[in-house]
Amino acid sequence: MVPSCFRSARAGHGGGGGAARAPRGAGAGPGPGARGGAFHWDAAYERELQTFQDIGDAGEIWFGEESMVRIIRWLEKQKVPLDSSVLDIGTGNGVLLIELAKSGYMNLTGIDYSPSAIQLSEKVREKEGMSNIKLKVEDFLAPSAELSGFEICIDKGTFDAISLNPDNAVGKRKQYVRSLSVVQCNNTVL
């Protein structure tokens, strides 16, 4: 099901959402608070982007291939129409959107506040021939006016990362919930 340019997260580095991720080769990495910050994610995706450009490897499925399969099965079980508008919050390398497109979903948008993550997901999208997936650099805590009207919002770890941010985590969690209302998410899968 997963393209060869993706790898499942290593044991101990995924499956629990974005906050559990550690950059490839980082060992123990920074403390949990650092993983909630933009600097951490920008650096991680800059490395992933360089790796993709060097050898065509889009990086790890940080949240785990099994979690991705469960999300797609849940959408199918709920009989979510294939033309439903879906927002992937914190899309990273865009692998979930690729798999949703392969499953027949047509109205897909991925956002990430890391420009390097969006550059990576654009390259992966191009490699996989999925030009119908929309990608945008966007901070979900300060959504733009055009980011609205989604029937399904999927978050594989952004809320976790926000919760670990040492800079006003409580306030940022509240802003996250407000942002769900602003973008008019009818259903959210965390």
Side-chain angles (χ1 to χ4, degrees):
M1 174 177 195
V2 178
S4 62
C5 65
F6 297 108
R7 295 185 311 280
S8 289
R10 295 178 302 241
H13 288 291
R21 33 181 150 170
R24 187 178 311 135
R35 292 191 181 134
F39 178 79
H40 170 79
W41 296 116
D42 287 339
Y45 283 111
E46 285 172 16
R47 284 187 297 275
E48 296 290 339
L49 180 59
Q50 187 61 52
T51 299
F52 184 81
Q53 291 169 339
D54 291 347
I55 62 172
D57 181 351
E60 298 183 27
I61 301 171
W62 297 109
F63 54 96
E65 184 177 338
E66 184 179 315
S67 294
M68 180 176 60
V69 170
R70 280 196 317 262
I71 289 169
I72 293 170
R73 281 192 201 140
W74 183 87
L75 293 170
E76 292 168 347
K77 185 177 179 182
Q78 302 306 310
K79 300 186 184 338
V80 173
L82 296 176
D83 63 348
S84 297
S85 56
V86 177
L87 176 65
D88 183 12
I89 302 166
T91 197
N93 61 15
V95 65
L96 176 61
L97 294 172
I98 298 291
E99 292 306 313
L100 285 168
K102 288 179 178 181
S103 295
Y105 291 92
M106 300 172 270
N107 191 357
L108 304 170
T109 301
I111 63 168
D112 203 294
Y113 72 178
S114 170
S116 295
I118 294 299
Q119 288 175 345
L120 175 60
S121 57
E122 287 171 341
K123 291 190 179 297
V124 171
R125 173 187 66 185
E126 181 181 318
K127 181 178 181 178
E128 294 293 323
M130 301 289 180
S131 59
N132 60 321
I133 297 171
K134 296 178 266 331
L135 299 164
K136 184 176 180 186
V137 175
E138 180 99 31
D139 182 352
F140 190 69
L141 296 183
S144 64
E146 63 256 10
L147 191 71
S148 68
F150 290 93
E151 294 165 280
I152 303 289
C153 292
I154 300 172
D155 180 338
K156 308 164 309 291
T158 299
F159 186 77
D160 293 347
I162 289 167
S163 296
L164 290 173
N165 191 318
D167 182 29
N168 190 18
V170 171
K172 288 181 179 183
R173 285 192 299 267
K174 289 178 181 177
Q175 181 56 45
Y176 180 95
V177 172
R178 285 191 294 272
S179 293
L180 288 173
S181 296
V182 169
V183 301
Q184 302 168 354
C185 287
N186 295 331
N187 297 287
T188 304
V189 181
L190 294 170

